[in-house]
Amino acid sequence: MTSCFSQQITQVSENAKSINPQLAFPTWFFPPHHQPSVTEVPIPALRQLQIRAATSADLTSIAQIIAESFHSQQGFWGWAFPLLRLGIYEDLRNRLASISPHQVCLVAVDTSMGSTHQILGTVELGLRFSDSWANAHKSFPYLSNLAVNPQYRRHGVASRLLTSCEQVCQEWGFQDLYLHVLENNHQARQLYFKLGYRRVHKEVESLWNTFFLNPSRQIFLHKHLIKKTWVGG
């Protein structure tokens, strides 16, 4: 039985169109040394979060959060920051026109009393095809572009987004979820390991990695989701 959360995601996705993860920015697009930390502590009790699908009205906030999370504002990148943010915005806007049953961009919204429903974080979930010849044309759920507003990091926002992605993944009928993380991003790895993600020993290297000579390699993480029985009317 489909859960209420899934119904809310589907309804918003149909109205606003979801972001296409196959057209999402590959990780090599972002300076690898600037990948954000996602180590977290419990979110303040007074703050209430709603996780929902992104809409066109969220584009400006999403573009700002992604730009701040993955692009340094120092030196050359600081000069190019407005152009990079505009590029992210335009790409997101174009991708909102696409529809797929297995793609969604989620946002975490502050719904506390008196709040202006500010977007605190975002993440994308979709299907990706394997790069290996052995598993050619085989798709798997892949999580990307997890980013949190710098002012609200270390408050559980990333954890809530990850948990919601896992729920959506199961509602799609999948029991496994994958993502990439930089090997030297120890704080992010600590969060993923805490939530049950483990390194894939025979990882499938993406061709995207060859565009930059990264001083730190990306590692491929996997989590097997415990099957749950959804209860609904």
Side-chain angles (χ1 to χ4, degrees), residues 194-212:
K194 178 181 178 181
L195 294 178
Y197 290 84
R198 295 295 179 263
R199 182 167 184 167
V200 177
H201 296 291
K202 295 182 179 180
E203 63 182 83
V204 178
E205 293 289 347
S206 171
L207 294 178
W208 291 341
N209 296 332
T210 63
F211 282 79
F212 274 82

Side-chain angles (χ1 to χ4, degrees), residues 1-7 163-175 225-233:
M1 195 68 67
T2 304
S3 72
C4 294
F5 179 80
S6 179
Q7 293 174 351
T163 301
S164 296
C165 283
E166 293 172 10
Q167 182 176 342
V168 173
C169 183
Q170 288 188 299
E171 291 168 353
W172 287 350
F174 295 94
Q175 295 301 129
L225 308 177
I226 299 176
K227 187 174 182 179
K228 298 179 180 179
T229 302
W230 305 108
V231 179

Side-chain angles (χ1 to χ4, degrees), residues 10-162:
T10 302
Q11 181 177 359
V12 177
S13 298
E14 290 177 350
N15 293 339
K17 309 294 194 333
S18 300
I19 292 178
N20 189 337
Q22 295 180 355
L23 296 179
F25 287 110
T27 51
W28 55 258
F29 183 83
F30 306 110
H33 63 276
H34 198 66
Q35 186 175 15
S37 165
V38 288
T39 301
E40 304 195 334
V41 295
I43 195 165
L46 295 179
R47 189 175 305 284
Q48 298 179 3
L49 286 182
Q50 174 192 11
I51 308 298
R52 60 169 175 78
T55 71
S56 58
D58 303 324
L59 284 174
T60 300
S61 296
I62 295 176
Q64 180 68 27
I65 290 173
I66 293 178
E68 290 183 353
S69 296
F70 293 102
H71 292 293
S72 171
Q73 299 187 52
Q74 304 298 322
F76 168 79
W77 291 108
W79 173 85
F81 186 84
L83 296 176
L84 294 169
R85 181 178 55 199
L86 177 61
I88 294 172
Y89 176 93
E90 290 299 326
D91 190 74
L92 291 173
R93 183 175 64 84
N94 291 333
R95 285 183 285 156
L96 281 175
S98 64
I99 300 178
S100 171
H102 295 138
Q103 63 179 40
V104 69
C105 174
L106 301 179
V107 291
V109 182
D110 181 5
T111 60
S112 304
M113 183 177 298
S115 169
T116 58
H117 286 217
Q118 178 181 5
I119 294 178
L120 307 186
T122 182
V123 68
E124 295 182 48
L125 177 65
L127 297 187
R128 178 166 293 183
F129 288 93
S130 173
D131 293 333
S132 70
W133 289 101
N135 296 310
H137 306 301
K138 182 179 180 180
S139 61
F140 55 91
Y142 183 82
L143 187 151
S144 63
N145 291 345
L146 174 63
V148 177
N149 185 319
Q151 298 180 2
Y152 297 95
R153 290 174 187 165
R154 299 179 59 82
H155 292 299
V157 178
S159 296
R160 288 284 301 275
L161 287 167
L162 288 169

Side-chain angles (χ1 to χ4, degrees), residues 209-226:
N209 296 332
T210 63
F211 282 79
F212 274 82
L213 299 177
N214 293 342
S216 178
R217 298 186 305 115
Q218 290 187 97
I219 60 175
F220 200 35
L221 300 184
H222 160 256
K223 180 176 181 178
H224 181 71
L225 308 177
I226 299 176

